[in-house]
Amino acid sequence: MPAHVSAFGPGRVNLIGEHTDYNGGLALPFAISHGVTVRAAARDDRCISAFAADIDERDEFSLEAVSPADGWRAFVRGAAGELDRAGVALTGASLEIAGNVPRGAGLSSSAALEVALVLALLSVADAPEPDRIELAKLCSRVENEWVGAQTGLLDQIASLCGSADRALLIDFSKLDVQPVALELGDYRLVTLDSGEEHTHAGGGYNERRAECAAAASQLGVDSLSDATLSMIERLPEPLSLRARHVITENERVRSAVQALDGREMEELGRLLDASHASLRDCYEVSTRAVEDAVDRCKRAGACGARIMGGGFGGSVLALLAPGSAPPDGAVEVRPGPGARVEAA
Ligand code: GLA
């Protein structure tokens, strides 16, 4: 049994394909170099102790009966609880958690934390690592059932399956993941925090998800990605608007893959703008602070900028044309490798 391990879960950027994951659609995310590290040491009892170094808070619980908790503790207990439910023979562990993904900024600090926790607990228990898509599903159950956010699989798959210099084309109808070269030439991708913290466990995200389920059920399709624009005319608002976003966003993901393939960066920028307009006008997840951040990126010379992640605040993603200076506070992002474990 390794005495000490260090597991890293990266955050993610989603180039395009927003709110498509829980609708059986397409997305094009990549893992980034910012993330969460969990250092773990085995204990010889059946207890997990956790120290959140960035906020100087602690938790301790017994593996005999893992009870729910709030805030960051929900993730730790959920990771242990879901691994136990999956039949993994966990051992006691002492965990130290530290991260550099800004929380609530739409870069998926939550998935980074789940992924790092689950990999650390598996490794310290000397348990074999399951298939990474299965692991993504387990991490998403942590978020759905322990944290209370009905999020999809986008963030967990991006964090677990990321690959340097590549984005991932994910087809959520089959959970198929294809790497796509992300060669931007002299263009740069940056994120800019709107300054407005978002939370998925808050109402807006779960409400959108419920609206999509209602729209699919009224149309008699398994998921909105099986619907067509002509079908959705019979839906009442706002369901027709939500469905329009999903159907057109899937199309934009396909076009973005083609634009990358042809190195057509201005076209990629146009698709980011169109995605933003749809998220603002049809999905209605933008806010004043987000619109201001998009405007700042455009004024700085972005050929495309859009809200990223669940919405209702968080970060904006912008594609900057060669020679343009990023707005103050923007952070350049590049695809990095997926989650990993090392001996510590
Ligand atoms: C959040 C969720 C994801 C996904 C995006 C929107 O990041 O965690 O599952 O739904 O929002 O694309």
Side-chain angles (χ1 to χ4, degrees):
M1 177 193 301
H4 291 84
V5 297
S6 172
F8 177 74
R12 65 98 189 90
V13 155
N14 191 16
L15 186 54
I16 197 160
E18 220 63 271
H19 292 279
T20 48
D21 59 347
Y22 54 85
N23 284 304
L26 303 172
L28 196 58
F30 56 86
I32 57 176
S33 57
H34 295 76
V36 173
T37 300
V38 174
R39 292 197 171 74
R43 283 172 59 139
D44 53 13
D45 59 9
R46 297 268 301 148
C47 284
I48 302 280
S49 58
F51 173 51
D54 304 326
I55 48 176
D56 196 20
E57 288 184 4
R58 293 175 188 278
D59 191 22
E60 181 154 334
F61 57 92
S62 162
L63 285 170
E64 300 307 330
V66 183
S67 54
D70 292 332
W72 67 274
R73 294 179 179 88
F75 290 87
V76 185
R77 290 167 182 235
E82 287 302 321
L83 284 168
D84 181 57
R85 199 186 288 178
V88 175
L90 289 176
T91 52
S94 107
L95 310 174
E96 184 177 314
I97 304 164
N100 61 359
V101 201
R103 273 187 299 158
L107 297 171
S108 201
S109 53
S110 303
L113 176 58
E114 290 145 23
V115 162
L117 282 166
V118 162
L119 287 179
L121 287 170
L122 279 168
S123 180
V124 89
D126 215 8
E129 192 189 298
D131 167 80
R132 288 210 161 191
I133 297 292
E134 290 308 313
L135 217 44
K137 291 185 194 165
L138 187 147
C139 289
S140 127
R141 290 199 293 275
V142 173
E143 191 138 344
N144 294 170
E145 289 168 33
W146 295 75
V147 180
Q150 301 307 313
T151 51
L153 283 168
L154 170 76
D155 309 336
Q156 292 79 7
I157 293 180
S159 181
L160 281 158
C161 303
S163 163
D165 302 324
R166 303 261 187 288
L168 304 175
L169 174 60
I170 308 176
D171 180 344
F172 292 96
S173 68
K174 304 189 281 239
L175 292 183
D176 176 59
V177 181
Q178 297 296 332
V180 171
L182 194 61
E183 287 163 10
L184 303 175
D186 293 333
Y187 288 74
R188 281 178 297 166
L189 283 169
V190 298
T191 60
L192 179 64
D193 194 344
S194 70
E196 189 173 355
E197 192 171 331
H198 77 145
T199 144
H200 290 151
Y205 184 95
N206 291 350
E207 182 185 81
R208 290 294 174 279
R209 190 160 178 164
E211 288 168 342
C212 289
S217 141
Q218 288 187 31
L219 292 172
V221 291
D222 288 340
S223 78
L224 282 183
S225 297
D226 296 332
T228 60
L229 285 178
S230 60
M231 286 166 76
I232 65 173
E233 280 164 18
R234 56 185 144 107
L235 287 173
E237 283 196 10
L239 303 192
S240 56
L241 290 168
R242 310 297 186 243
R244 175 174 297 279
H245 167 74
V246 173
I247 295 166
T248 58
E249 186 77 349
N250 284 334
E251 209 37 60
R252 284 185 286 272
V253 175
R254 288 190 192 92
S255 302
V257 172
Q258 280 174 8
L260 280 172
D261 193 41
R263 310 273 168 91
E264 297 160 40
M265 293 304 129
E266 295 294 321
E267 171 62 6
L268 183 62
R270 198 192 61 73
L271 291 163
L272 296 187
D273 283 345
S275 172
H276 181 72
S278 179
L279 287 158
R280 181 191 59 213
D281 301 335
C282 295
Y283 222 68
E284 298 180 279
V285 290
S286 190
T287 63
R288 172 59 65 84
V290 167
E291 292 304 313
D292 287 350
V294 166
D295 288 348
R296 284 178 57 208
C297 292
K298 299 294 278 189
R299 283 200 302 274
C303 56
R306 67 175 200 82
I307 187 170
M308 190 177 61
F312 305 102
S315 284
V316 157
L317 175 71
L319 180 65
L320 289 185
S324 42
D328 279 353
V331 178
E332 185 168 358
V333 282
R334 296 201 179 113
R340 50 208 176 264
V341 185
E342 290 163 2

